[in-house]
Amino acid sequence: MENCVFCKIINGEIPSEKIYEDDDFIVIKDIRPVAPVHLLAIYKPHVATINDLSIEDSQRMWRLFEVVKKVSKENGIESYRIVQNNGKDSGQEVHHIHFHIIGGRKLGPLG
Ligand code: 5GP
Ligand code: ZN
């Protein structure tokens, strides 16, 4: 989708530190990390939020857990948090589904 930062990263128009890619996901380093390891697993099709997922998309997205397992291990984090924001009040900045994988230090409470 035009003017979507993550679509541009996926198609190579904007550079990123890519650490993994397959047919469904790309995993990059977050440009503003909040912890020593802060990765973004981005679902390739442009879907804004979980509320916008089709059945086919949500079925395809189950593979996310395999991707998370692989990249967390490869980046040396055994304990980590996954954060996924949907919509304005959650603080979602980029309206293209993505999962933050955050670790490498003791994390504070949620909220
Ligand atoms: P959200 O608030 O939408 O859940 O998270 C968006 C994340 O994308 C933020 O943590 C922000 O730092 C990251 N981000 C925004 N633009 C870019 C970019 O151009 N490159 C990378 N690598 N991360 C970005
Ligand atoms: Zn997009």
Side-chain angles (χ1 to χ4, degrees), residues 61-94:
M61 283 183 56
W62 281 114
R63 283 202 42 261
L64 170 74
F65 296 112
E66 287 303 313
V67 175
V68 169
K69 250 170 82 176
K70 181 177 164 62
V71 298
S72 57
K73 192 169 183 194
E74 285 173 359
N75 283 268
I77 46 170
E78 207 173 291
S79 177
Y80 52 86
R81 180 176 291 162
I82 295 176
V83 173
Q84 198 275 324
N85 294 318
N86 292 280
K88 203 164 53 123
D89 285 352
S90 71
Q92 185 179 13
E93 178 195 324
V94 181

Side-chain angles (χ1 to χ4, degrees), residues 46-63:
H46 181 89
V47 180
T49 70
I50 283 186
N51 297 339
D52 302 300
L53 282 171
S54 66
I55 295 275
E56 291 75 19
D57 280 318
S58 34
Q59 283 168 350
R60 257 173 95 184
M61 283 183 56
W62 281 114
R63 283 202 42 261

